[in-house]
Amino acid sequence: MIKMIKVSAPGKLMLFGDHAVVHNRPCIVTAVDHRISVSLNKRNDNKIFLNAPDMNIEDYKISIRNLRKQHPKKVRFVLTAIKNFFEKYKIESGLDVKTKSEFSSKFGLGSSSAVTVSTLKGLSELFGIKINNKELFDLSYKTVLDIQDVGSGFDVAAAIYGGTLYFVTGGKIIEPINIKELPLVVGYTGIKADTATLVKMLYRKLAENPETINKNFDDSAKIVDEARIEIQKNNWKRVGKLMNFNQELLRGLDVSSLELEKLISASKNVGAYGAKLSGAGGGDCMIAITDKENFNNVVNAIEKEHGTFIEVKLNAEGVRVEK
Ligand code: MEV
């Protein structure tokens, strides 16, 4: 019987340290229980068949000889992961690959990193090659960088380790943070952020104005270090304050937007302790921290401002092989 392997990985939400984490500072990221799964089967020929119904990809077929060629954006993460795995472990095999997503890639919740991690973990299971989490991180991060050029790898770490993590650029530090709860409201602006463009803009700003931008990143690092402690104490009032400080820094980097600011103000106006953008900015999602009693008021305030409330369970389990 042909062995089929199915692996799933969670998405992510950046809580603190957005952008600064690209530049050797820490961030805090939590894994969200919107998962992407990848199913893999060996084939007896040299073809790869990819089906990704959530992305309208049906029977995308290539020969393994052509893995190095340019492929449409939608299939690039899976195919580059396969290419990197085959190269590293000197393997060649035809494959049937199917992906399934519990969330839309438009929210910016980390679908590319989750699909990359699931594919690589699935391949290691399929070919019986033991790789530990750090090796999985390095190969997944390389794959993401091959395609996107830029990024800290925080999303890859969330997909692999799950939970809530204190993370420094490129996986220099990946440490779990123990949290029991996190009363966070997530609001989607309806606008897709262009992460790579914003990250590249900040490289330019840093080159033009190193003192100011480095100071901004250093301040972000201080906020992250304090937030790490306060989150574990469930001190949501202080966590909210720290979110507001972090948002001020992000505004100073010009990565916020009118839509984000509207949802952030609306949340704070009904009593959220703090709110900020989450991720690259320019769109995607914002987060607000609130007392549990006030949760629904914050949700309603976001919806009144035409944001979409996204229900997520945080602190989700990392990559896993599905039975
Ligand atoms: C994007 O979701 C978060 C950034 O910090 C980029 C990254 O860390 O890769 C802006």
Side-chain angles (χ1 to χ4, degrees):
M1 215 184 73
I2 299 176
K3 185 167 112 177
M4 200 266 272
I5 296 287
K6 185 175 176 189
V7 171
S8 77
K12 56 77 189 166
L13 260 182
M14 178 79 94
L15 301 183
F16 287 96
D18 326 52
H19 283 288
V21 66
V22 179
H23 304 271
N24 266 313
R25 272 71 165 194
C27 75
I28 298 176
V29 56
T30 189
V32 301
D33 69 343
H34 292 215
R35 303 184 77 87
I36 290 197
S37 68
V38 176
S39 303
L40 295 159
N41 255 328
K42 285 183 202 169
R43 291 176 61 89
N44 291 327
D45 55 19
N46 66 352
K47 303 267 185 300
I48 293 176
F49 277 80
L50 176 57
N51 278 284
D54 311 294
M55 294 195 284
N56 297 323
I57 304 253
E58 204 179 310
D59 279 339
Y60 184 86
K61 177 177 127 188
I62 65 158
S63 153
I64 51 180
R65 276 195 320 271
N66 293 331
L67 269 174
R68 294 183 146 276
K69 293 201 172 144
Q70 272 292 339
H71 302 286
K73 210 168 160 212
K74 288 178 180 176
V75 296
R76 226 175 268 167
F77 287 91
V78 170
L79 295 180
T80 308
I82 295 171
K83 173 187 86 62
N84 284 343
F85 186 88
F86 283 179
E87 279 178 6
K88 178 156 176 138
Y89 297 105
K90 317 257 177 303
I91 287 172
E92 275 198 351
S93 168
L95 293 170
D96 281 315
V97 186
K98 188 169 180 195
T99 71
K100 192 167 181 324
S101 176
E102 287 175 359
F103 62 97
S104 164
S105 60
K106 73 181 183 191
F107 296 142
L109 290 178
S111 52
S112 311
S113 42
V115 83
T116 302
V117 165
S118 294
T119 304
L120 288 167
K121 176 78 178 171
L123 289 168
S124 76
E125 292 286 324
L126 191 66
F127 293 101
I129 293 174
K130 286 214 170 348
I131 56 175
N132 63 31
N133 277 348
K134 189 62 176 73
E135 288 164 331
L136 179 58
F137 176 86
D138 289 341
L139 198 53
S140 304
Y141 185 40
K142 172 190 160 31
T143 302
V144 170
L145 284 184
D146 283 349
I147 297 164
Q148 285 180 179
D149 271 350
V150 287
S152 64
F154 80 107
D155 43 1
V156 173
I160 294 173
Y161 295 86
T164 301
L165 303 170
Y166 180 88
F167 175 91
V168 177
T169 328
K172 288 187 197 99
I173 301 177
I174 305 175
E175 287 173 1
I177 301 178
N178 264 326
I179 59 165
K180 284 167 227 72
E181 52 170 339
L182 197 59
L184 207 68
V185 182
V186 183
Y188 175 60
T189 55
I191 293 163
K192 178 93 196 87
D194 182 352
T195 302
T197 303
L198 287 161
V199 170
K200 285 176 189 166
M201 175 187 94
L202 278 187
Y203 273 107
R204 282 197 303 277
K205 272 185 187 285
L206 180 64
E208 282 159 13
N209 210 341
E211 236 168 76
T212 311
I213 303 296
N214 270 317
K215 163 92 171 60
N216 183 303
F217 291 161
D218 286 340
D219 289 347
S220 171
K222 285 184 202 139
I223 290 171
V224 169
D225 284 341
E226 190 185 338
R228 176 191 200 172
I229 297 164
E230 297 302 333
I231 285 177
Q232 295 182 80
K233 289 197 221 154
N234 291 6
N235 187 355
W236 308 134
K237 259 195 189 147
R238 185 63 192 161
V239 172
K241 267 248 154 21
L242 293 168
M243 276 189 177
N244 294 338
F245 292 152
N246 200 163
Q247 177 61 19
E248 260 172 52
L249 294 177
L250 291 163
R251 267 184 217 122
L253 297 174
D254 282 333
V255 294
S256 196
S257 70
L258 198 64
E259 292 76 11
L260 283 163
E261 291 299 332
K262 269 192 196 164
L263 305 189
I264 289 168
S265 300
S267 314
K268 293 201 292 190
N269 286 344
V270 294
Y273 291 133
K276 64 183 276 295
L277 65 86
S278 169
D284 280 357
C285 291
M286 51 69 70
I287 50 177
I289 192 117
T290 168
D291 260 344
K292 271 188 277 183
E293 295 70 43
N294 202 23
F295 196 93
N296 285 336
N297 291 338
V298 177
V299 170
N300 291 338
I302 286 173
E303 287 181 336
K304 228 168 146 188
E305 284 297 339
H306 312 293
T308 307
F309 166 57
I310 303 182
E311 211 171 343
V312 290
K313 266 204 13 231
L314 307 172
N315 219 21
E317 190 186 350
V319 67
R320 67 173 180 237
V321 179
E322 303 286 350
K323 291 283 167 282

